[in-house]
Amino acid sequence: MMIARKYLYLIALAREKHFGRAALACHISPSTLSAAISDLEAELGVAVVERGKQFTGLTPEGQCVVDHAHRMVAGEEGLRQELASLRNGLSGHLRLGVIPTALTVVASLTSAFSRRHPLVTIDVLSLSTSEILSRLQDFEIDAGIVYVESGLAARQLLTIPLWNENHVLLTPSGGPFEGRDSVTWIEAVQVPLCLLTPDMQNRKTIDAVFAQLGCTIQPTLESNSLISMLAHVCSGAWSAILPHSVLDLIGVPAGVQVLPLTEPAVAWATGLVVPQREPRSPMTEALLVEAHSLNDSFAKDE
């Protein structure tokens, strides 16, 4: 590798926040890690780690060095991708963090990307919005799928809207809303609700809608898994509020009724976020091309 290993060791230490765990992650001894950090400090003429018997944190200068090291690693990976693409086409590894409510519809993006770049392997990770933004900053993922307002609020992120999420009530067939074409948000609280956990951005937006209506909801079941939520609705004991896009590619489960939520009619835009860095890696540029294409496709459908 072109980047000196001592910088990689520092990145590991910043991530693990423990000399022993960082050494284990780098497959070296703690003494080798400590010596490399000391060598780096001597080379730069600054202290990068707060001194003590145990790791207590980085100095301001150390955090600056870590940030620079992350950029060096990303730059080296971008160079490798570009050289490989000149020989055989784009290859490598794409790491994508996705909010739970977009885990099904994101297949529209990843499938199009994979067809165009078959040599690229893809990781799709289910993460909360805060985890996505944090991992983007730390170079641990390449891109994320979040609500557009979250991306626009975050600094140094480029946000590409992809689709709008109209929320619906998934409720067992034969229940109190049998024969209805829609249901109001207020009416939805009349049935036992299964919702995402409060730390999820989708749940926060749902809570905000009910708060605007002067209504407090008390779900009888919470989960951070869409599969679990769908299974509980299929059991016949719960109803769930989810974006309709969750069902676009997998269809409506048997025995489940899907009703648009009205009064108010609410939609949230979901989009791709990537770090606002120049130059961008070939992987990021290729993903942006597919994102713009998907954005155009959804716009035509609407």
Side-chain angles (χ1 to χ4, degrees):
M1 298 185 67
M2 292 179 291
I3 181 173
R5 291 191 179 276
K6 64 188 76 174
Y7 288 97
L8 300 179
Y9 298 161
L10 180 62
I11 289 174
L13 181 60
R15 181 182 66 248
E16 301 294 338
K17 297 179 173 56
H18 186 276
F19 275 96
R21 290 195 299 269
L24 185 63
C26 296
H27 306 289
I28 58 175
S29 67
S31 60
T32 299
L33 177 70
S34 181
I37 299 299
S38 296
D39 184 45
L40 182 61
E41 290 178 320
E43 177 183 307
L44 298 176
V46 296
V48 298
V49 177
E50 297 286 356
R51 292 305 177 194
K53 292 183 178 180
Q54 296 180 336
F55 178 81
T56 58
L58 299 172
T59 64
E61 294 84 356
Q63 186 58 56
C64 179
V65 176
V66 168
D67 293 341
H68 184 72
H70 275 305
R71 290 193 292 272
M72 287 193 294
V73 171
E76 180 176 331
E77 176 59 24
L79 174 59
R80 291 182 183 277
Q81 290 174 11
E82 190 164 350
L83 293 175
S85 67
L86 290 173
R87 294 194 304 269
N88 307 307
L90 187 64
S91 63
H93 200 63
L94 174 64
R95 302 162 300 174
L96 191 61
V98 183
I99 55 175
T101 52
L103 282 172
T104 55
V105 71
V106 74
S108 300
L109 175 65
T110 52
S111 60
F113 181 91
S114 185
R115 282 192 293 268
R116 195 182 301 270
H117 307 288
L119 298 180
V120 176
T121 58
I122 305 173
D123 279 350
V124 175
L125 306 175
S126 177
L127 301 170
S128 67
T129 298
S130 60
E131 288 176 318
I132 290 172
L133 299 181
S134 174
R135 293 195 187 198
L136 281 172
Q137 182 179 356
D138 292 339
F139 295 81
E140 293 178 4
I141 57 176
D142 302 298
I145 302 291
V146 299
Y147 288 116
V148 166
E149 62 180 19
S150 302
L152 295 177
R155 295 180 179 179
Q156 298 182 332
L157 287 180
L158 173 64
T159 302
I160 308 295
L162 294 178
W163 55 79
N164 288 324
E165 296 188 341
N166 298 295
H167 280 58
V168 295
L169 181 73
L170 275 65
T171 190
S173 301
F177 301 123
E178 182 70 23
R180 295 279 297 273
D181 294 326
S182 64
V183 62
T184 67
W185 285 82
I186 292 296
E187 288 176 319
V189 301
Q190 299 172 12
V191 294
L193 286 177
C194 168
L195 299 178
L196 284 169
T197 52
D199 61 307
M200 296 295 178
Q201 188 63 36
N202 177 267
R203 172 63 185 279
K204 293 176 182 178
T205 56
I206 289 174
D207 287 347
V209 172
F210 282 113
Q212 291 172 2
L213 297 172
C215 178
T216 301
I217 53 172
Q218 295 181 329
T220 57
L221 190 147
E222 296 175 326
S223 175
N224 62 359
S225 165
L226 286 184
I227 296 299
S228 178
M229 292 178 67
L230 291 173
H232 282 90
V233 174
C234 290
S235 75
W238 284 274
S239 298
I241 296 175
L242 289 170
H244 191 278
S245 59
V246 169
L247 307 172
D248 286 347
L249 292 180
I250 63 175
V252 180
V256 173
Q257 185 180 5
V258 180
L259 297 172
L261 283 162
T262 63
E263 299 182 27
V266 182
W268 291 280
T270 302
L272 176 77
V273 290
V274 299
Q276 188 75 276
R277 305 185 186 108
E278 297 292 345
R280 297 192 188 98
S281 70
M283 191 79 73
T284 300
E285 288 289 2
L287 187 61
L288 288 175
V289 169
E290 297 303 331
H292 284 295
S293 177
L294 186 61
N295 175 286
D296 293 341
S297 175
F298 275 99
K300 290 177 181 178
D301 290 342
E302 294 176 357

